Amino acid sequence: MYRLTLAVLVLTGAAPALAADRAPRPVLLKPARVFDGVTARPHDGWVVLVRGERIEAAGPAGDVKVPGDARVIELPHATLLPGLIDAHTHLLLHPYNEASWDDQVLKEPLALRVCRATNHARRVLLSGFTTIRDLGTEGAGYADVGLKQAIEEQIIPGPRLLVVTRAIVATGSYGPRGFAPEVRVHQGAEEADGETLRRVVRDQVGRGADWIKVYADSWNPTKGGSPTFSVDELKLMVETARSAGCPVAAHAMTREGLRRAVLAGVETIEHGDGGDVEVFRLMAKHGVPLCPTLAAGEAMSKYRGWRPGTDPEPPALKSKRATFKEALEAGVTVVNGSDMGVFAHGDGARELELLVDYGMKPAQALRAATSAAARALHLGDRVGAVKPGLLADLVAVEGDPTGDIHALRQVRLVMKGGVLYREPGR
Ligand SMILES: [Zn+2]
């Protein structure tokens, strides 16, 4: 009864959601074209047949046998693509121009943060992102594990979630900071060092982490950036996590932090701002993708007063543009990861717009948010492409995003696991 009441609330809420039970009838989606997540050119005139939670067929209209009881959804002028993936989000944060990170960690009750996060999850899904890897609760403990469960049990609408729980930092290297040395304040991640790292990794895995997130370096306003964990410490975490079936993602902003993380065997690098050609070549050689978080960098500059179009581009963004180009030239795989939470949830398309603005072709950026992201997240056999047998995580947008990436702003349909959450006219 309780569940039923909540489901009705979702149905009648502000979101145009249709979080009903899975439609028993097959669904035929008829867009103008399909971007399959892999091929650069979209397929004109393709249709996609969904049965239950999976894609049953995809191909030219004449080649797909349509069951007599299929429900047909016409999507004229629209492009159908795999549900988008963001590999770096924070559902439990909200934009820093609303409240500073320190205030969110130290002053906001956990229940408040979780309430906000439910809204965030819905906005993310309805904006076309059907899978996210949430890279740290930033002081909100293990709340991501519960959010994931609430989404899986259809208590709230939201994307598929991969979670990391608290994330791991070296003692004394994170925040909030700036207090008298005698004062201990609640930290935004779990501190550990040396042999203790083994226990902390196991503890986070035991509490529900799908990935382990570590901070390979730290930023101090007076000292600048510096690496934290040794290669041996990072290796210990990677080895412990891997034996429990968990990959490791590393926040790395300094060249040395990047180098150590890659050598230790982490599977994705987050941010990568201080990288150079040599370390990007090392990433490419080891097959370690980069989540560049361009949208977070842009948002931070705006919060500091930058007015795009009026003021010259700030040095931090100029430098990011240059290092991102170096990473591309070095052959690093880029995976869409925005650091959403630093900026508004539901604005995830901004990262793809910036990937294109910083030098990728629209189809490359779309691949970074579909098939490439799915592969990096070990989900390639479930999502990230329009292919028979995969889960029916599908999004339709008005226009053709392979020509104009801004088309991602015009979302017409969102389906996750065969369930429609948004459709034309609803
Ligand atoms: Zn982040």
Side-chain angles (χ1 to χ4, degrees), residues 167-360:
I168 302 173
V169 292
T171 298
S173 70
Y174 205 46
R177 63 169 91 234
F179 299 86
E182 300 78 19
V183 178
R184 296 202 75 83
V185 301
H186 180 58
Q187 291 288 291
E190 187 165 14
E191 294 184 326
D193 317 277
E195 189 54 34
T196 314
L197 291 165
R198 202 192 296 273
R199 184 189 59 75
V200 168
V201 167
R202 286 179 180 152
D203 187 54
Q204 293 191 357
V205 172
R207 290 172 196 270
D210 302 301
W211 277 67
I212 292 295
K213 156 99 175 278
V214 306
Y215 285 71
D217 43 38
S218 100
W219 177 260
N220 184 312
T222 48
K223 295 181 194 153
S226 54
T228 51
F229 294 115
S230 67
V231 176
D232 283 345
E233 286 176 310
L234 289 162
K235 273 187 180 162
L236 182 63
M237 286 187 275
V238 168
E239 183 191 290
T240 308
R242 192 172 282 159
S243 92
C246 283
V248 175
H251 162 113
M253 305 271 280
T254 64
R255 188 188 176 284
E256 179 62 8
L258 270 123
R259 193 187 71 84
R260 291 184 194 178
V262 172
L263 291 178
V266 309
E267 296 204 19
T268 62
I269 292 285
E270 309 304 311
H271 315 298
D273 295 41
D276 62 10
V277 177
E278 205 182 328
V279 83
F280 287 136
R281 284 198 188 122
L282 188 73
M283 280 176 71
K285 189 175 146 213
H286 287 254
V288 181
L290 172 70
C291 291
T293 66
L294 306 177
E298 183 194 58
M300 291 301 288
S301 290
K302 285 185 190 165
Y303 301 158
R304 292 186 187 116
W306 175 54
R307 294 163 304 169
T310 305
D311 302 331
E313 192 165 52
L317 296 189
K318 268 196 183 142
S319 152
K320 183 75 184 179
R321 206 178 267 279
T323 51
F324 182 73
K325 195 160 164 270
E326 282 178 348
L328 284 182
E329 284 169 2
V332 172
T333 298
V334 172
V335 164
N336 180 60
S338 67
D339 223 351
M340 198 191 296
V342 173
F343 62 98
H345 296 91
D347 197 22
R350 188 65 195 141
E351 184 71 17
L352 284 106
E353 290 170 346
L354 288 169
L355 289 174
V356 172
D357 186 44
Y358 280 40
M360 290 176 91

Side-chain angles (χ1 to χ4, degrees), residues 99-222:
S100 70
W101 181 84
D102 280 25
D103 281 356
Q104 293 187 44
V105 173
L106 293 177
K107 296 181 183 170
E108 294 187 354
L110 181 59
L112 172 68
R113 297 188 67 185
V114 173
C115 286
R116 278 191 203 280
T118 62
N119 285 341
H120 298 159
R122 186 178 66 243
R123 279 185 214 135
V124 169
L125 178 65
L126 295 179
S127 65
F129 287 80
T130 51
T131 300
I132 60 173
R133 182 180 59 165
D134 207 59
L135 281 186
T137 60
E138 308 287 342
Y142 310 93
D144 52 353
V145 176
L147 282 168
K148 178 182 169 180
Q149 193 177 342
I151 292 167
E152 285 179 354
E153 294 184 14
Q154 295 198 13
I155 294 168
I156 58 166
R160 288 177 202 290
L161 265 184
L162 295 171
V163 299
V164 306
T165 76
R166 296 171 64 188
I168 302 173
V169 292
T171 298
S173 70
Y174 205 46
R177 63 169 91 234
F179 299 86
E182 300 78 19
V183 178
R184 296 202 75 83
V185 301
H186 180 58
Q187 291 288 291
E190 187 165 14
E191 294 184 326
D193 317 277
E195 189 54 34
T196 314
L197 291 165
R198 202 192 296 273
R199 184 189 59 75
V200 168
V201 167
R202 286 179 180 152
D203 187 54
Q204 293 191 357
V205 172
R207 290 172 196 270
D210 302 301
W211 277 67
I212 292 295
K213 156 99 175 278
V214 306
Y215 285 71
D217 43 38
S218 100
W219 177 260
N220 184 312
T222 48

Side-chain angles (χ1 to χ4, degrees), residues 28-31 34 43-49 55-65 386-388:
L28 184 76
L29 301 168
K30 292 180 73 176
V34 172
H43 308 283
D44 288 330
W46 269 31
V47 297
V48 175
L49 180 66
I55 298 168
E56 185 168 282
D63 296 358
V64 174
K65 199 170 170 306
V386 180
K387 201 168 106 181

